[in-house]
Amino acid sequence: MKIVAVCGSPRKGNTEFMLRKVLEKAKELGAETELILLREKKIEFCDGCHGCEGGSGKCSISDDMNEIRNKLLKADSIVFGSPIYYDGVTGLLKNFIDRTNPIYGKLRGKKFAFVIVGQLKGEEGELSRKLVVDFLKDISEIHEMELIDYVFGVALKPEEIADDEKTIKELEELGKKIYSE
């Protein structure tokens, strides 16, 4: 089984840590894993040319997204990760999602999970969480992927989740689920 995780954080921190934990557990169980750090990739914005429509699977923009799309197509399971920025995913992850249009319909049936990190607790934090969860659930439905589960972590500082035993257990469970379900 091949699992590809995509990290939408612009820096090394909690989101990357969370994805690595999920992948570590899946790898321990026998999965082949790969973590893609969008901050290290050159991915242009979708320009809306519609050249990818009609099932060609091709994009007129030549950048790192071409290689990443191929990895998604070969994966059995896909995991996204993002901190919450203004009640949404980061611009890095949103741009990446926009650029998956050429493979619309080709991710059907793949397992999908995600991790998100928020800074707020209480009512405001719950609203942010709900908006991001709903958005990523919609993405899984649009691409007809099988949503397995997600993990939400609360952190105010970089690497704070590394000390959160409850969240780490949830991440390990997600690694098991994305591998076995």
Side-chain angles (χ1 to χ4, degrees), residues 36-43 64 67-68 71 92:
I36 297 169
L37 303 172
L38 294 180
R39 69 178 177 269
E40 295 178 355
K41 303 295 180 184
K42 181 178 177 0
I43 301 174
D64 291 339
E67 176 189 340
I68 297 169
K71 290 178 181 192
L92 279 172

Side-chain angles (χ1 to χ4, degrees), residues 5-19:
V6 179
C7 182
S9 180
R11 60 189 171 100
K12 184 177 177 78
N14 292 300
T15 304
E16 183 178 332
F17 172 83
M18 292 173 73
L19 288 169

